[in-house]
Amino acid sequence: MLKPSDKWNWYYSDSEGYLMLDLGEEMVFRTNLSRNLLVDCAFSENHFTVDDASDYQTYKERISCLEMSEPRRVELALYCVAAKRFHKPVQPKSWFFDYQGGDVAPEEGDMVSLVNGYNQGYFIVLEVGDNASLCALVDLQAFVLNGSKSLEFGQVIKVMHDRMANANHLFVSEPMALVG
């Protein structure tokens, strides 16, 4: 398992065209954030902070029940940390999703369900706003937004809360009693 370190560094790679995370020992992680999605401070070197490490642990715990390999969970958690810290502020794109009418007041790390005429998908909440939140797709399969656009694993979108349904209950591991 990958343990966060204060020796890790974020940087933008012109050759890759993406934000990168130098993990040391000749290991580098490429995020899914290209130049046009990044805030200005992402173009200078940034240390992996205590807040980044805390967010990483939060996301890792919240996604631990997802049916995917450990490397995919680490990848998703790092995508989430990068998006929370370096993604440009964006307007909600709620028109891609059906109104669900619930009175959802998500918190960071919550799992939510979003639906449209093409599919249903699960997302983790990264940043909570008053009426909308930034969310990342946790499904390994792409989420179709319309006939020509889709979100891939780990990509983010901002969505109004009235489009969300709480899905935390689907991702909680139940304690199991072993009887001998």
Side-chain angles (χ1 to χ4, degrees):
M1 182 161 121
L2 195 60
K3 299 271 190 221
S5 169
D6 60 359
K7 293 180 178 35
W8 293 359
N9 288 300
W10 298 103
Y11 67 96
Y12 178 78
S13 169
D14 283 317
S15 62
E16 290 285 330
Y18 286 88
L19 181 70
M20 311 291 277
L21 179 60
D22 182 349
L23 303 168
E25 299 179 28
E26 298 184 23
M27 290 193 312
V28 176
F29 175 78
R30 189 187 95 170
T31 72
N32 56 1
L33 298 177
S34 59
R35 175 179 284 281
N36 61 329
L37 299 175
L38 296 169
V39 293
D40 291 342
C41 70
F43 298 100
S44 57
E45 193 170 298
N46 293 279
H47 293 288
F48 195 84
T49 66
V50 171
D51 288 340
D52 292 341
S54 176
D55 290 338
Y56 176 79
Q57 289 304 119
T58 298
Y59 299 138
K60 279 281 288 163
E61 288 171 14
R62 296 309 305 250
I63 63 177
S64 65
C65 294
L66 296 177
E67 292 185 23
M68 64 180 67
S69 68
E70 182 63 19
R72 291 307 297 241
R73 284 190 196 107
V74 168
E75 176 185 12
L76 179 58
L78 289 173
Y79 282 163
C80 292
V81 172
K84 181 179 177 191
R85 182 163 173 196
F86 296 108
H87 200 287
K88 273 185 182 173
V90 291
Q91 293 297 316
K93 293 189 171 82
S94 300
W95 58 83
F96 288 122
F97 306 98
D98 295 343
Y99 175 79
Q100 296 198 57
D103 193 18
V104 176
E107 294 181 13
E108 184 180 328
D110 278 355
M111 295 295 220
V112 295
S113 170
L114 297 171
V115 297
N116 62 20
Y118 298 95
N119 42 202
Q120 174 182 11
Y122 296 103
F123 294 74
I124 186 168
V125 177
L126 306 181
E127 274 186 336
V128 179
D130 292 337
N131 301 308
S133 293
L134 188 67
C135 304
L137 179 65
V138 301
D139 297 326
L140 294 172
Q141 296 80 25
F143 185 96
V144 178
L145 296 171
N146 63 24
S148 62
K149 293 183 181 180
S150 63
L151 288 174
E152 300 297 324
F153 172 73
Q155 285 186 312
V156 300
I157 191 165
K158 193 169 192 177
V159 183
M160 299 292 288
H161 295 156
D162 64 1
R163 303 300 201 267
M164 300 176 180
N166 189 309
N168 286 329
H169 62 285
L170 300 174
F171 298 98
V172 175
S173 57
E174 296 294 325
M176 189 182 311
L178 299 176
V179 180

PDB file of all heavy atoms in Angstrom, residues 43-70:
ATOM      1  N   PHE A  43       1.345  25.191 -11.792  1.00  0.00           N
ATOM      2  CA  PHE A  43       2.454  25.233 -12.738  1.00  0.00           C
ATOM      3  C   PHE A  43       3.795  25.512 -12.069  1.00  0.00           C
ATOM      4  O   PHE A  43       4.810  25.649 -12.733  1.00  0.00           O
ATOM      5  CB  PHE A  43       2.156  26.232 -13.856  1.00  0.00           C
ATOM      6  CG  PHE A  43       0.948  25.828 -14.646  1.00  0.00           C
ATOM      7  CD1 PHE A  43      -0.282  26.417 -14.407  1.00  0.00           C
ATOM      8  CD2 PHE A  43       1.026  24.808 -15.576  1.00  0.00           C
ATOM      9  CE1 PHE A  43      -1.407  26.022 -15.108  1.00  0.00           C
ATOM     10  CE2 PHE A  43      -0.089  24.397 -16.284  1.00  0.00           C
ATOM     11  CZ  PHE A  43      -1.316  25.009 -16.050  1.00  0.00           C
ATOM     12  N   SER A  44       3.782  25.600 -10.752  1.00  0.00           N
ATOM     13  CA  SER A  44       5.034  25.658 -10.005  1.00  0.00           C
ATOM     14  C   SER A  44       5.102  24.382  -9.160  1.00  0.00           C
ATOM     15  O   SER A  44       4.118  23.676  -9.017  1.00  0.00           O
ATOM     16  CB  SER A  44       5.075  26.911  -9.115  1.00  0.00           C
ATOM     17  OG  SER A  44       3.969  26.938  -8.245  1.00  0.00           O
ATOM     18  N   GLU A  45       6.274  24.116  -8.606  1.00  0.00           N
ATOM     19  CA  GLU A  45       6.411  22.896  -7.809  1.00  0.00           C
ATOM     20  C   GLU A  45       5.683  23.072  -6.487  1.00  0.00           C
ATOM     21  O   GLU A  45       5.757  24.119  -5.844  1.00  0.00           O
ATOM     22  CB  GLU A  45       7.882  22.584  -7.565  1.00  0.00           C
ATOM     23  CG  GLU A  45       8.094  21.193  -7.016  1.00  0.00           C
ATOM     24  CD  GLU A  45       9.548  20.792  -7.010  1.00  0.00           C
ATOM     25  OE1 GLU A  45      10.155  20.725  -8.095  1.00  0.00           O
ATOM     26  OE2 GLU A  45      10.061  20.535  -5.909  1.00  0.00           O
ATOM     27  N   ASN A  46       4.931  22.067  -6.084  1.00  0.00           N
ATOM     28  CA  ASN A  46       4.162  22.088  -4.845  1.00  0.00           C
ATOM     29  C   ASN A  46       4.437  20.811  -4.068  1.00  0.00           C
ATOM     30  O   ASN A  46       4.389  19.721  -4.636  1.00  0.00           O
ATOM     31  CB  ASN A  46       2.660  22.152  -5.148  1.00  0.00           C
ATOM     32  CG  ASN A  46       2.242  23.448  -5.793  1.00  0.00           C
ATOM     33  OD1 ASN A  46       2.062  24.436  -5.125  1.00  0.00           O
ATOM     34  ND2 ASN A  46       2.110  23.439  -7.124  1.00  0.00           N
ATOM     35  N   HIS A  47       4.690  20.959  -2.789  1.00  0.00           N
ATOM     36  CA  HIS A  47       4.891  19.787  -1.944  1.00  0.00           C
ATOM     37  C   HIS A  47       3.552  19.110  -1.654  1.00  0.00           C
ATOM     38  O   HIS A  47       2.512  19.759  -1.633  1.00  0.00           O
ATOM     39  CB  HIS A  47       5.558  20.174  -0.621  1.00  0.00           C
ATOM     40  CG  HIS A  47       6.965  20.658  -0.796  1.00  0.00           C
ATOM     41  ND1 HIS A  47       7.996  19.821  -1.127  1.00  0.00           N
ATOM     42  CD2 HIS A  47       7.482  21.904  -0.715  1.00  0.00           C
ATOM     43  CE1 HIS A  47       9.103  20.528  -1.241  1.00  0.00           C
ATOM     44  NE2 HIS A  47       8.818  21.794  -0.996  1.00  0.00           N
ATOM     45  N   PHE A  48       3.598  17.825  -1.429  1.00  0.00           N
ATOM     46  CA  PHE A  48       2.438  17.071  -0.972  1.00  0.00           C
ATOM     47  C   PHE A  48       2.271  17.437   0.505  1.00  0.00           C
ATOM     48  O   PHE A  48       3.123  17.131   1.328  1.00  0.00           O
ATOM     49  CB  PHE A  48       2.705  15.571  -1.150  1.00  0.00           C
ATOM     50  CG  PHE A  48       1.483  14.706  -1.050  1.00  0.00           C
ATOM     51  CD1 PHE A  48       0.667  14.514  -2.146  1.00  0.00           C
ATOM     52  CD2 PHE A  48       1.157  14.070   0.142  1.00  0.00           C
ATOM     53  CE1 PHE A  48      -0.454  13.691  -2.071  1.00  0.00           C
ATOM     54  CE2 PHE A  48       0.046  13.252   0.227  1.00  0.00           C
ATOM     55  CZ  PHE A  48      -0.767  13.065  -0.873  1.00  0.00           C
ATOM     56  N   THR A  49       1.198  18.132   0.835  1.00  0.00           N
ATOM     57  CA  THR A  49       1.025  18.721   2.162  1.00  0.00           C
ATOM     58  C   THR A  49       0.342  17.767   3.146  1.00  0.00           C
ATOM     59  O   THR A  49      -0.158  16.708   2.757  1.00  0.00           O
ATOM     60  CB  THR A  49       0.181  19.998   2.062  1.00  0.00           C
ATOM     61  OG1 THR A  49      -1.142  19.630   1.639  1.00  0.00           O
ATOM     62  CG2 THR A  49       0.792  21.004   1.099  1.00  0.00           C
ATOM     63  N   VAL A  50       0.293  18.213   4.387  1.00  0.00           N
ATOM     64  CA  VAL A  50      -0.443  17.471   5.420  1.00  0.00           C
ATOM     65  C   VAL A  50      -1.920  17.385   5.031  1.00  0.00           C
ATOM     66  O   VAL A  50      -2.555  16.344   5.209  1.00  0.00           O
ATOM     67  CB  VAL A  50      -0.271  18.147   6.802  1.00  0.00           C
ATOM     68  CG1 VAL A  50      -1.184  17.530   7.840  1.00  0.00           C
ATOM     69  CG2 VAL A  50       1.183  18.075   7.249  1.00  0.00           C
ATOM     70  N   ASP A  51      -2.469  18.470   4.474  1.00  0.00           N
ATOM     71  CA  ASP A  51      -3.865  18.451   4.012  1.00  0.00           C
ATOM     72  C   ASP A  51      -4.056  17.440   2.889  1.00  0.00           C
ATOM     73  O   ASP A  51      -5.070  16.726   2.847  1.00  0.00           O
ATOM     74  CB  ASP A  51      -4.306  19.836   3.540  1.00  0.00           C
ATOM     75  CG  ASP A  51      -4.492  20.813   4.689  1.00  0.00           C
ATOM     76  OD1 ASP A  51      -4.664  20.369   5.846  1.00  0.00           O
ATOM     77  OD2 ASP A  51      -4.472  22.033   4.424  1.00  0.00           O
ATOM     78  N   ASP A  52      -3.091  17.365   1.958  1.00  0.00           N
ATOM     79  CA  ASP A  52      -3.163  16.366   0.886  1.00  0.00           C
ATOM     80  C   ASP A  52      -3.185  14.955   1.476  1.00  0.00           C
ATOM     81  O   ASP A  52      -3.976  14.107   1.050  1.00  0.00           O
ATOM     82  CB  ASP A  52      -1.963  16.481  -0.060  1.00  0.00           C
ATOM     83  CG  ASP A  52      -1.966  17.757  -0.897  1.00  0.00           C
ATOM     84  OD1 ASP A  52      -3.028  18.391  -1.047  1.00  0.00           O
ATOM     85  OD2 ASP A  52      -0.886  18.103  -1.406  1.00  0.00           O
ATOM     86  N   ALA A  53      -2.307  14.712   2.445  1.00  0.00           N
ATOM     87  CA  ALA A  53      -2.232  13.385   3.075  1.00  0.00           C
ATOM     88  C   ALA A  53      -3.532  13.052   3.792  1.00  0.00           C
ATOM     89  O   ALA A  53      -4.026  11.914   3.709  1.00  0.00           O
ATOM     90  CB  ALA A  53      -1.055  13.323   4.038  1.00  0.00           C
ATOM     91  N   SER A  54      -4.103  14.027   4.474  1.00  0.00           N
ATOM     92  CA  SER A  54      -5.375  13.818   5.164  1.00  0.00           C
ATOM     93  C   SER A  54      -6.497  13.511   4.174  1.00  0.00           C
ATOM     94  O   SER A  54      -7.296  12.594   4.384  1.00  0.00           O
ATOM     95  CB  SER A  54      -5.717  15.059   5.990  1.00  0.00           C
ATOM     96  OG  SER A  54      -6.977  14.920   6.585  1.00  0.00           O
ATOM     97  N   ASP A  55      -6.546  14.284   3.079  1.00  0.00           N
ATOM     98  CA  ASP A  55      -7.550  14.036   2.040  1.00  0.00           C
ATOM     99  C   ASP A  55      -7.359  12.651   1.430  1.00  0.00           C
ATOM    100  O   ASP A  55      -8.326  11.919   1.202  1.00  0.00           O
ATOM    101  CB  ASP A  55      -7.470  15.104   0.947  1.00  0.00           C
ATOM    102  CG  ASP A  55      -7.939  16.465   1.418  1.00  0.00           C
ATOM    103  OD1 ASP A  55      -8.696  16.542   2.416  1.00  0.00           O
ATOM    104  OD2 ASP A  55      -7.539  17.466   0.790  1.00  0.00           O
ATOM    105  N   TYR A  56      -6.115  12.278   1.164  1.00  0.00           N
ATOM    106  CA  TYR A  56      -5.806  10.955   0.598  1.00  0.00           C
ATOM    107  C   TYR A  56      -6.374   9.854   1.503  1.00  0.00           C
ATOM    108  O   TYR A  56      -7.033   8.927   1.035  1.00  0.00           O
ATOM    109  CB  TYR A  56      -4.297  10.810   0.419  1.00  0.00           C
ATOM    110  CG  TYR A  56      -3.857   9.453  -0.062  1.00  0.00           C
ATOM    111  CD1 TYR A  56      -3.973   9.100  -1.409  1.00  0.00           C
ATOM    112  CD2 TYR A  56      -3.330   8.515   0.820  1.00  0.00           C
ATOM    113  CE1 TYR A  56      -3.565   7.849  -1.858  1.00  0.00           C
ATOM    114  CE2 TYR A  56      -2.929   7.261   0.376  1.00  0.00           C
ATOM    115  CZ  TYR A  56      -3.056   6.939  -0.956  1.00  0.00           C
ATOM    116  OH  TYR A  56      -2.649   5.691  -1.396  1.00  0.00           O
ATOM    117  N   GLN A  57      -6.112   9.966   2.806  1.00  0.00           N
ATOM    118  CA  GLN A  57      -6.610   8.953   3.759  1.00  0.00           C
ATOM    119  C   GLN A  57      -8.133   8.923   3.775  1.00  0.00           C
ATOM    120  O   GLN A  57      -8.743   7.846   3.791  1.00  0.00           O
ATOM    121  CB  GLN A  57      -6.069   9.221   5.166  1.00  0.00           C
ATOM    122  CG  GLN A  57      -4.590   8.931   5.308  1.00  0.00           C
ATOM    123  CD  GLN A  57      -4.204   7.515   4.918  1.00  0.00           C
ATOM    124  OE1 GLN A  57      -3.412   7.311   4.001  1.00  0.00           O
ATOM    125  NE2 GLN A  57      -4.763   6.530   5.579  1.00  0.00           N
ATOM    126  N   THR A  58      -8.760  10.095   3.771  1.00  0.00           N
ATOM    127  CA  THR A  58     -10.227  10.172   3.758  1.00  0.00           C
ATOM    128  C   THR A  58     -10.791   9.466   2.532  1.00  0.00           C
ATOM    129  O   THR A  58     -11.693   8.634   2.648  1.00  0.00           O
ATOM    130  CB  THR A  58     -10.696  11.649   3.771  1.00  0.00           C
ATOM    131  OG1 THR A  58     -10.254  12.260   4.974  1.00  0.00           O
ATOM    132  CG2 THR A  58     -12.204  11.756   3.659  1.00  0.00           C
ATOM    133  N   TYR A  59     -10.251   9.801   1.365  1.00  0.00           N
ATOM    134  CA  TYR A  59     -10.762   9.194   0.133  1.00  0.00           C
ATOM    135  C   TYR A  59     -10.489   7.694   0.101  1.00  0.00           C
ATOM    136  O   TYR A  59     -11.344   6.905  -0.312  1.00  0.00           O
ATOM    137  CB  TYR A  59     -10.182   9.884  -1.105  1.00  0.00           C
ATOM    138  CG  TYR A  59     -10.537  11.355  -1.186  1.00  0.00           C
ATOM    139  CD1 TYR A  59      -9.600  12.295  -1.566  1.00  0.00           C
ATOM    140  CD2 TYR A  59     -11.808  11.815  -0.868  1.00  0.00           C
ATOM    141  CE1 TYR A  59      -9.912  13.642  -1.646  1.00  0.00           C
ATOM    142  CE2 TYR A  59     -12.127  13.157  -0.934  1.00  0.00           C
ATOM    143  CZ  TYR A  59     -11.178  14.069  -1.323  1.00  0.00           C
ATOM    144  OH  TYR A  59     -11.493  15.397  -1.386  1.00  0.00           O
ATOM    145  N   LYS A  60      -9.309   7.285   0.544  1.00  0.00           N
ATOM    146  CA  LYS A  60      -8.972   5.850   0.562  1.00  0.00           C
ATOM    147  C   LYS A  60      -9.961   5.076   1.438  1.00  0.00           C
ATOM    148  O   LYS A  60     -10.405   3.993   1.072  1.00  0.00           O
ATOM    149  CB  LYS A  60      -7.547   5.636   1.082  1.00  0.00           C
ATOM    150  CG  LYS A  60      -6.464   5.847   0.063  1.00  0.00           C
ATOM    151  CD  LYS A  60      -6.293   4.668  -0.863  1.00  0.00           C
ATOM    152  CE  LYS A  60      -5.646   3.550  -0.095  1.00  0.00           C
ATOM    153  NZ  LYS A  60      -5.734   2.268  -0.650  1.00  0.00           N
ATOM    154  N   GLU A  61     -10.283   5.635   2.598  1.00  0.00           N
ATOM    155  CA  GLU A  61     -11.240   4.969   3.483  1.00  0.00           C
ATOM    156  C   GLU A  61     -12.617   4.891   2.853  1.00  0.00           C
ATOM    157  O   GLU A  61     -13.275   3.854   2.923  1.00  0.00           O
ATOM    158  CB  GLU A  61     -11.329   5.717   4.822  1.00  0.00           C
ATOM    159  CG  GLU A  61     -10.109   5.533   5.696  1.00  0.00           C
ATOM    160  CD  GLU A  61     -10.102   6.447   6.914  1.00  0.00           C
ATOM    161  OE1 GLU A  61     -11.157   7.043   7.240  1.00  0.00           O
ATOM    162  OE2 GLU A  61      -9.024   6.578   7.531  1.00  0.00           O
ATOM    163  N   ARG A  62     -13.050   5.989   2.235  1.00  0.00           N
ATOM    164  CA  ARG A  62     -14.398   6.033   1.658  1.00  0.00           C
ATOM    165  C   ARG A  62     -14.551   5.098   0.465  1.00  0.00           C
ATOM    166  O   ARG A  62     -15.642   4.597   0.222  1.00  0.00           O
ATOM    167  CB  ARG A  62     -14.757   7.465   1.254  1.00  0.00           C
ATOM    168  CG  ARG A  62     -14.844   8.439   2.413  1.00  0.00           C
ATOM    169  CD  ARG A  62     -15.736   7.945   3.560  1.00  0.00           C
ATOM    170  NE  ARG A  62     -17.064   7.591   3.150  1.00  0.00           N
ATOM    171  CZ  ARG A  62     -18.161   8.240   3.429  1.00  0.00           C
ATOM    172  NH1 ARG A  62     -18.106   9.304   4.171  1.00  0.00           N
ATOM    173  NH2 ARG A  62     -19.325   7.831   2.977  1.00  0.00           N
ATOM    174  N   ILE A  63     -13.481   4.872  -0.277  1.00  0.00           N
ATOM    175  CA  ILE A  63     -13.586   4.024  -1.468  1.00  0.00           C
ATOM    176  C   ILE A  63     -13.131   2.587  -1.206  1.00  0.00           C
ATOM    177  O   ILE A  63     -13.107   1.769  -2.112  1.00  0.00           O
ATOM    178  CB  ILE A  63     -12.805   4.623  -2.663  1.00  0.00           C
ATOM    179  CG1 ILE A  63     -11.308   4.700  -2.371  1.00  0.00           C
ATOM    180  CG2 ILE A  63     -13.371   5.976  -3.036  1.00  0.00           C
ATOM    181  CD1 ILE A  63     -10.471   5.218  -3.523  1.00  0.00           C
ATOM    182  N   SER A  64     -12.812   2.273   0.036  1.00  0.00           N
ATOM    183  CA  SER A  64     -12.286   0.935   0.363  1.00  0.00           C
ATOM    184  C   SER A  64     -13.269  -0.189   0.055  1.00  0.00           C
ATOM    185  O   SER A  64     -12.858  -1.325  -0.161  1.00  0.00           O
ATOM    186  CB  SER A  64     -11.846   0.866   1.826  1.00  0.00           C
ATOM    187  OG  SER A  64     -12.958   1.033   2.685  1.00  0.00           O
ATOM    188  N   CYS A  65     -14.551   0.109   0.007  1.00  0.00           N
ATOM    189  CA  CYS A  65     -15.554  -0.929  -0.265  1.00  0.00           C
ATOM    190  C   CYS A  65     -15.849  -1.104  -1.750  1.00  0.00           C
ATOM    191  O   CYS A  65     -16.635  -1.980  -2.122  1.00  0.00           O
ATOM    192  CB  CYS A  65     -16.848  -0.604   0.474  1.00  0.00           C
ATOM    193  SG  CYS A  65     -16.662  -0.691   2.252  1.00  0.00           S
ATOM    194  N   LEU A  66     -15.245  -0.280  -2.590  1.00  0.00           N
ATOM    195  CA  LEU A  66     -15.489  -0.412  -4.029  1.00  0.00           C
ATOM    196  C   LEU A  66     -14.847  -1.691  -4.548  1.00  0.00           C
ATOM    197  O   LEU A  66     -13.758  -2.066  -4.114  1.00  0.00           O
ATOM    198  CB  LEU A  66     -14.922   0.791  -4.783  1.00  0.00           C
ATOM    199  CG  LEU A  66     -15.546   2.142  -4.469  1.00  0.00           C
ATOM    200  CD1 LEU A  66     -14.822   3.237  -5.248  1.00  0.00           C
ATOM    201  CD2 LEU A  66     -17.025   2.156  -4.803  1.00  0.00           C
ATOM    202  N   GLU A  67     -15.514  -2.325  -5.477  1.00  0.00           N
ATOM    203  CA  GLU A  67     -15.002  -3.568  -6.056  1.00  0.00           C
ATOM    204  C   GLU A  67     -14.007  -3.235  -7.164  1.00  0.00           C
ATOM    205  O   GLU A  67     -14.366  -3.145  -8.336  1.00  0.00           O
ATOM    206  CB  GLU A  67     -16.155  -4.414  -6.590  1.00  0.00           C
ATOM    207  CG  GLU A  67     -17.037  -4.949  -5.478  1.00  0.00           C
ATOM    208  CD  GLU A  67     -18.114  -5.879  -5.991  1.00  0.00           C
ATOM    209  OE1 GLU A  67     -17.948  -6.456  -7.091  1.00  0.00           O
ATOM    210  OE2 GLU A  67     -19.117  -6.022  -5.285  1.00  0.00           O
ATOM    211  N   MET A  68     -12.764  -3.011  -6.732  1.00  0.00           N
ATOM    212  CA  MET A  68     -11.678  -2.748  -7.670  1.00  0.00           C
ATOM    213  C   MET A  68     -10.374  -3.102  -6.972  1.00  0.00           C
ATOM    214  O   MET A  68     -10.338  -3.251  -5.750  1.00  0.00           O
ATOM    215  CB  MET A  68     -11.678  -1.286  -8.145  1.00  0.00           C
ATOM    216  CG  MET A  68     -11.429  -0.272  -7.061  1.00  0.00           C
ATOM    217  SD  MET A  68     -11.445   1.451  -7.639  1.00  0.00           S
ATOM    218  CE  MET A  68     -13.129   1.686  -8.099  1.00  0.00           C
ATOM    219  N   SER A  69      -9.336  -3.223  -7.752  1.00  0.00           N
ATOM    220  CA  SER A  69      -8.039  -3.598  -7.183  1.00  0.00           C
ATOM    221  C   SER A  69      -7.472  -2.463  -6.334  1.00  0.00           C
ATOM    222  O   SER A  69      -7.849  -1.305  -6.488  1.00  0.00           O
ATOM    223  CB  SER A  69      -7.062  -3.931  -8.319  1.00  0.00           C
ATOM    224  OG  SER A  69      -6.760  -2.752  -9.041  1.00  0.00           O
ATOM    225  N   GLU A  70      -6.541  -2.817  -5.456  1.00  0.00           N
ATOM    226  CA  GLU A  70      -5.897  -1.821  -4.604  1.00  0.00           C
ATOM    227  C   GLU A  70      -5.189  -0.741  -5.432  1.00  0.00           C
ATOM    228  O   GLU A  70      -5.313   0.454  -5.127  1.00  0.00           O
ATOM    229  CB  GLU A  70      -4.932  -2.488  -3.620  1.00  0.00           C
ATOM    230  CG  GLU A  70      -4.255  -1.536  -2.665  1.00  0.00           C
ATOM    231  CD  GLU A  70      -5.199  -0.788  -1.714  1.00  0.00           C
ATOM    232  OE1 GLU A  70      -6.354  -1.236  -1.524  1.00  0.00           O
ATOM    233  OE2 GLU A  70      -4.791   0.252  -1.186  1.00  0.00           O
TER     234      GLU A  70
END
